[in-house]
Amino acid sequence: MSHGADEFLRLQSLLHRPVSTRPDWLKAWRNEANYILFLARRAEDDDDVDLLEELEDQARDMADMVEARLRADGLW
């Protein structure tokens, strides 16, 4: 993924970040994040720049949210 790769890589790294305990919200968040990454790969294959930009924004928002929640839960 070349377009918006930083945000997608950031989201992917959060997916694989180990946590000592798994809060209830984490599994659902991981499913959503995986879906965003899946859609981004398909959009890149289809050369759909508009969709990639939208997904990049979503990836940024999701990563910001999960980082804040992990900090708030003392897991960061």
Side-chain angles (χ1 to χ4, degrees):
M1 270 181 247
S2 57
H3 187 275
D6 289 344
E7 294 303 332
F8 297 127
L9 290 173
R10 180 176 166 221
L11 191 63
Q12 189 171 22
S13 71
L14 286 167
L15 275 170
H16 299 290
R17 187 179 197 287
V19 291
S20 56
T21 59
R22 190 177 84 190
D24 294 338
W25 57 267
L26 190 60
K27 183 176 181 181
W29 175 81
R30 284 181 172 162
N31 288 336
E32 289 180 46
N34 273 317
Y35 188 62
I36 295 284
L37 293 171
F38 168 76
L39 291 176
R41 285 184 199 99
R42 290 198 55 188
E44 184 175 51
D45 289 346
D46 294 341
D47 200 27
D48 189 338
V49 176
D50 293 334
L51 181 56
L52 270 173
E53 288 175 358
E54 180 183 326
L55 292 168
E56 180 183 5
D57 291 341
Q58 289 180 26
R60 181 183 312 106
D61 292 343
M62 287 184 79
D64 289 345
M65 184 271 310
V66 79
E67 286 174 353
R69 288 193 75 175
L70 287 171
R71 279 190 198 96
D73 289 350
L75 300 171
W76 188 262

